[in-house]
Amino acid sequence: MFDRSPHPIWTFDRKTLAFLAVNQETISHYGFSREEFLGMTLKDIVLEDDLPGVLQMLSRLFRGADSRTPRLRGVHRNRRKDGTIIEGDATWSPVLFQGREAVLALVLDVETERALKLSEQRFSKIFRACPAAIGMVTIKDGRLIDVNDRYLEMFGYRRDEMVGRTAVELGLWVDPGQRARVIGALRQSGSVRDAHARLRRKAGEIFDALLSMETIDLQEEPEPVLVSMITN
């Protein structure tokens, strides 16, 4: 989990503030090598004006052996190796690292998070207003996690009848073999464009449609999701 995290995570010594471990995203995000980080302290990346607040946060985290705060969160500015300043939203937790009292820090880039949120808000508006039928499904088991109104109209279901179920469970595909070929093409190339599909509505009516599929990352989902757009 430490090295697979999409966000910077590091551990530093409570007393010396020396970095004890950093994940790959920390290295990529800040521009220092692992060896450089392990020769640095928190003071080397935190802006001087923000350091008093960081030290106060550290003091609040360790108020004695029996009164440790399990987690604290604060925003402070950090400096990358190239000199650029970023605003980090840090969550700190007290840990023991190789027998030393330390802090485990998870840091979110505030500007990146703002941009992601804005991007997802725009996507949500397009998703709802699009005249094409759009559904989002989990890649792992193919369960629908959201559909727009046009998707519901096309298949004749209510939202609560579709969300949480798979296309197989709903019987949306007339020919399972055709579905298997489309999924195979998706796995091979990463996307599908205007694939022919014979689909079935709730009432049993069969219709021909064109299906396009793409994987996207959504902040609120732990894994990428598959977006399918259907036109007929």
Side-chain angles (χ1 to χ4, degrees), residues 46-59:
V46 175
L47 264 62
E48 186 176 353
D49 289 347
D50 288 13
L51 192 57
V54 168
L55 296 178
Q56 184 180 40
M57 186 171 163
L58 183 63
S59 177

Side-chain angles (χ1 to χ4, degrees), residues 192-208:
V192 170
R193 293 286 180 274
D194 294 332
H196 175 254
R198 298 203 76 205
L199 304 173
R200 183 186 291 110
R201 294 188 171 96
K202 182 181 178 180
E205 179 187 352
I206 293 172
F207 64 99
D208 292 303

Side-chain angles (χ1 to χ4, degrees), residues 19 27 31-41 44 81:
F19 286 103
I27 295 167
F32 298 98
S33 68
R34 193 180 305 275
E35 291 72 22
E36 286 174 318
F37 262 116
L38 296 183
M40 297 163 54
T41 75
D44 293 315
K81 186 175 182 177

Side-chain angles (χ1 to χ4, degrees), residues 28-170:
S28 302
H29 201 69
Y30 285 85
F32 298 98
S33 68
R34 193 180 305 275
E35 291 72 22
E36 286 174 318
F37 262 116
L38 296 183
M40 297 163 54
T41 75
L42 201 61
K43 293 180 180 180
D44 293 315
I45 66 167
V46 175
L47 264 62
E48 186 176 353
D49 289 347
D50 288 13
L51 192 57
V54 168
L55 296 178
Q56 184 180 40
M57 186 171 163
L58 183 63
S59 177
R60 288 170 55 206
L61 197 64
F62 293 89
R63 289 179 173 172
D66 298 324
S67 58
R68 290 181 183 175
T69 304
R71 187 176 291 112
L72 281 179
R73 185 175 177 180
V75 176
H76 51 265
R77 293 170 297 166
N78 295 335
R79 181 180 286 106
R80 290 190 175 111
K81 186 175 182 177
D82 64 8
T84 57
I85 307 301
I86 61 173
E87 202 173 10
D89 184 352
T91 300
W92 287 5
S93 300
V95 295
L96 276 177
F97 184 86
Q98 298 178 350
R100 300 163 70 173
E101 284 193 323
V103 175
L104 179 68
L106 167 67
V107 183
L108 306 180
D109 186 327
V110 172
E111 286 303 317
T112 299
E113 292 301 305
R114 285 173 183 161
L116 282 172
K117 187 174 182 180
L118 180 60
S119 176
E120 290 186 13
Q121 287 173 344
R122 289 172 176 166
F123 172 79
S124 180
K125 289 179 180 179
I126 294 171
F127 176 81
R128 298 297 174 196
C130 184
I134 303 178
M136 291 190 290
V137 303
T138 59
I139 293 177
K140 183 178 180 180
D141 55 15
R143 295 197 176 276
L144 286 158
I145 58 176
D146 202 359
V147 294
N148 68 355
D149 289 343
R150 177 62 185 131
Y151 201 98
L152 298 173
E153 292 170 4
M154 178 175 285
F155 287 100
Y157 287 92
R158 300 190 311 271
R159 190 178 306 279
D160 63 293
E161 292 178 315
M162 300 201 85
V163 173
R165 302 183 69 187
T166 69
V168 173
E169 292 171 349
L170 293 166

